[in-house]
Amino acid sequence: QTEQALRESEVRLQLAMDAGEHGFWDYNVDTGDVFFSPRYNTMLGYEPGEIPMRFEAWVEMVHPEDRKTVVPEVLHFVEIAKPFLVEFRMKCKDGSWKWISGRGKSFEIDENGVSHRAVGVHVDITEQKRAEEALRASEKSLARSRKMESLGLMAGGIAHDLNNILSGIVTYPELL
């Protein structure tokens, strides 16, 4: 009965992770070993188990520009045993980049406050990032359109005022 309950619990966890499209990781701080769930691999285009189960493998997959800030930030939060949430790009098997939202928390903290384990999830937020970029581009385009509209209104106003002045100049000699 206990084994059956354990299997059912594992199935529930797997279904929940798949439904949320979460890739799970479990990092042994002392050894540098990391367990990456099958979904973690497949979200980046790899076969389950294809990514080496080492912290260094994750570091190498992080975009070089993001690596400078994200890796020290994650290590800092693991060290001080605080939950963290970071966004960064990871390299897929086909060479493309995906935006990832990484969330984690430290566990197995000893009497000195040193964390020996961190666990968390990665979620692919590439489509969200693309939508945000499209929104920013639309906002810029709208701002440019509004500037052009303002210039058009101003030019129309100046032309109208100039026409009023010129009509007086043109009409007055005719009256004379």
Side-chain angles (χ1 to χ4, degrees):
Q1 287 177 340
T2 303
E3 288 175 357
Q4 179 63 26
L6 178 61
R7 278 192 296 276
E8 289 173 4
S9 178
E10 288 174 348
V11 167
R12 269 191 222 102
L13 175 61
Q14 187 60 48
L15 291 173
M17 297 297 281
D18 288 345
E21 297 183 345
H22 288 64
F24 171 80
W25 53 268
D26 184 351
Y27 172 43
N28 181 326
V29 177
D30 299 329
T31 65
D33 293 332
V34 183
F35 168 79
F36 298 113
S37 70
R39 174 77 181 114
Y40 186 99
N41 285 260
T42 58
M43 93 165 58
L44 298 171
Y46 293 90
E47 292 297 318
E50 192 174 352
I51 298 173
M53 304 252 190
R54 299 285 304 157
F55 181 77
E56 296 81 15
W58 173 77
V59 171
E60 286 300 314
M61 294 173 67
V62 173
H63 193 282
E65 292 174 13
D66 301 337
R67 194 179 301 154
K68 298 172 191 170
T69 56
V70 171
V71 174
E73 184 176 353
V74 167
L75 289 174
H76 171 72
F77 279 103
V78 168
E79 181 182 326
I80 64 172
K82 298 286 183 193
F84 61 88
L85 175 63
V86 291
E87 292 182 355
F88 54 94
R89 292 163 288 180
M90 286 191 78
K91 192 170 192 171
C92 298
K93 186 175 182 176
D94 66 6
S96 65
W97 296 95
K98 284 194 176 182
W99 277 98
I100 302 294
S101 173
R103 179 182 299 264
K105 185 176 179 184
S106 295
F107 293 94
E108 298 180 9
I109 300 159
D110 65 20
E111 64 278 352
N112 298 321
V114 176
S115 172
H116 297 278
R117 182 179 186 187
V119 178
V121 294
H122 280 181
V123 179
D124 179 0
I125 58 169
T126 304
E127 290 306 314
Q128 176 185 335
K129 287 291 191 177
R130 285 183 184 147
E132 288 171 1
E133 184 59 36
L135 179 61
R136 280 193 293 276
S138 295
E139 287 171 345
K140 285 181 183 178
S141 178
L142 179 61
R144 280 193 300 272
S145 295
R146 286 185 176 159
K147 285 180 187 176
M148 294 304 289
E149 180 184 12
S150 296
L151 282 172
L153 288 171
M154 186 175 74
I158 291 171
H160 181 72
D161 290 347
L162 187 59
N163 188 40
N164 288 343
I165 293 169
L166 288 176
S167 66
I169 293 172
V170 169
T171 307
Y172 192 70
E174 287 177 10
L175 288 174
L176 286 174

